[in-house]
Amino acid sequence: TLVVTEGFGTINMAGKTFAYLKENEGRRVSVNGATQVRAGVIRPEIVIPIENAAVDVCETPLEPSLNVGDLVRCIRTPYFGRIGRVVSLPHELRQMESGALVRILEVRFENEEICMLPRANIERIEEK
């Protein structure tokens, strides 16, 4: 796998990026080459584990990223682009047509239709 950061032609790679990669030359890394440029942008990643690092444990539980009532947009077909509100967030995994077991949510769309969707297929819309 090849991950291109920047530095095409006469344009140099960012100094901090180059220094960080050079500093970690020869170490084992993981590469995730997934890319998505539409809603819910995903960029390739290079993950370099920190050896012998102390890990802080968070005593307080993190707030869930989704709550009942949140405004969301679907980012996959067949509901791509549709907007609705979260009606429920069941804890149990559900089996999709593909056979995958995933966390789901129920969304009520603007036309009052309620659908069950994988949580990975939506993005939360921040309301101000």
Side-chain angles (χ1 to χ4, degrees), residues 23-64:
E23 174 184 320
N24 289 284
E25 184 176 357
R27 294 190 54 203
R28 285 186 183 260
V29 302
S30 292
V31 176
N32 176 1
T35 302
Q36 177 177 310
V37 294
R38 295 185 183 216
V41 174
I42 298 172
R43 298 285 184 224
E45 301 172 297
I46 300 170
V47 180
I48 304 172
I50 300 172
E51 295 174 14
N52 302 321
V55 178
D56 290 336
V57 176
C58 180
E59 295 296 327
T60 42
L62 298 174
E63 288 295 315

Side-chain angles (χ1 to χ4, degrees), residues 80-95:
F80 182 79
R82 293 187 61 187
I83 294 175
R85 293 215 176 255
V86 177
V87 176
S88 71
L89 297 161
H91 293 286
E92 65 278 353
L93 298 176
R94 296 278 174 91
Q95 188 168 16

